[in-house]
Amino acid sequence: QWTSTGEEKSSSAGLASGIGYGAGFLIYFFIFMYGAQVMRGVMEEKSSRIVEAVLSAGSSTQLMMGKIAGIGLAGLTQFSIWSLVLVWGSKSGIEIAGMTLDGTFLTPTILVSFLMFFLLGFLLFATLYAGVGAMCNTAQEAQQFAVPLMLCNVIPMMLLSLVIMEPNSSFAVIMSLIPLFSPVLMFIRICMETPPLWQIGLSWFFMSISIWIALKTAGKLFRIGILMHGAAPSWKTLFKVLRQSD
């Protein structure tokens, strides 16, 4: 490749895909781990009746946002440490599979995207998990609602090979703009061959809109479901709660 000064610069597609896949897997893993942690935390407080005492000092919306923010900040701290280690490793010349990690590969676009996609992805999934947790009392009850969310997190990992082979194909562009898939698929595209900035910005915009919709939806589930006890909830119960007016 030619640099802006006219000099030759070599790069490895294998290294780019390897780093992109590894970083994309970290985004997937931490979003799933911390999102599920939000759901478990909500269910534990609900089943132990701690939530009833907490609600006496604040609203259900404040409780939900506090739970998401607390776990999210813990995750962001750990994620920031990973980012710093990645930058330090690139400057120290660490070798991966016989190839030296070039610090110039970690452009500001990649580093900012690494943090942004984790933050937006976590907020989206954690909000949905919080709504599910508020409707359920045990992990067994939550499983039927958590499985679709889990699939939305796993499907992008199954599509990685297709996106890596053709990062700028119509399929890759469309799939990477779907909010639930963007954290992994758009990021791998950025690592392989940085797409136009408008596509990155559009994915952030779609994810932000989806987070707002998820907050409205999960807020209603949380407000009504957090004090519900007794029979196990069903999909019919969930849709009935969503149809209720504010």
Side-chain angles (χ1 to χ4, degrees), residues 134-204:
M135 293 293 297
C136 305
N137 299 297
T138 65
Q140 290 75 18
E141 293 179 6
Q143 187 173 3
Q144 60 176 321
F145 304 114
V147 167
L149 293 177
M150 189 184 305
L151 287 177
C152 289
N153 210 10
V154 171
I155 289 175
M157 300 300 296
M158 299 172 61
L159 299 177
L160 272 183
S161 59
L162 297 176
V163 175
I164 288 175
M165 286 189 296
E166 296 185 74
N168 290 319
S169 64
S170 297
F171 174 80
V173 172
I174 293 173
M175 297 304 292
S176 64
L177 289 176
I178 298 176
L180 293 172
F181 300 166
S182 292
V184 173
L185 297 185
M186 183 60 77
F187 182 75
I188 195 69
R189 289 185 62 213
I190 293 173
C191 291
M192 292 300 300
E193 187 175 345
T194 304
L197 292 180
W198 69 265
Q199 292 185 14
I200 301 175
L202 190 60
S203 69
W204 291 351

Side-chain angles (χ1 to χ4, degrees), residues 31-157:
I31 287 177
F32 172 74
M33 181 177 68
Y34 286 113
Q37 188 174 338
V38 170
M39 182 180 69
R40 288 195 300 270
V42 171
M43 287 192 299
E44 288 174 2
E45 292 182 359
K46 178 180 178 179
S47 60
S48 63
R49 303 300 178 92
I50 295 177
V51 68
E52 297 178 9
V54 176
L55 286 176
S56 64
S59 66
S60 59
T61 302
Q62 291 174 332
L63 176 61
M64 183 183 73
M65 295 302 296
K67 178 68 68 176
I68 294 173
I71 295 178
L73 288 174
L76 186 60
T77 300
Q78 186 172 0
F79 216 66
S80 299
I81 293 174
W82 277 97
S83 300
L84 293 175
V85 169
L86 193 61
V87 173
W88 173 82
S90 67
K91 293 183 178 180
S92 300
I94 292 179
E95 291 189 359
I96 300 177
M99 296 178 289
T100 301
L101 180 58
D102 185 1
T104 59
F105 172 78
L106 300 173
T107 63
T109 301
I110 291 179
L111 293 175
V112 171
S113 297
F114 187 61
L115 292 174
M116 282 293 295
F117 280 119
F118 165 75
L119 182 60
L120 293 175
F122 167 78
L123 289 175
L124 179 56
F125 279 92
T127 301
L128 296 174
Y129 273 117
V132 169
M135 293 293 297
C136 305
N137 299 297
T138 65
Q140 290 75 18
E141 293 179 6
Q143 187 173 3
Q144 60 176 321
F145 304 114
V147 167
L149 293 177
M150 189 184 305
L151 287 177
C152 289
N153 210 10
V154 171
I155 289 175
M157 300 300 296

Side-chain angles (χ1 to χ4, degrees), residues 11 27 121 135 179:
S11 62
I27 293 176
M135 293 293 297

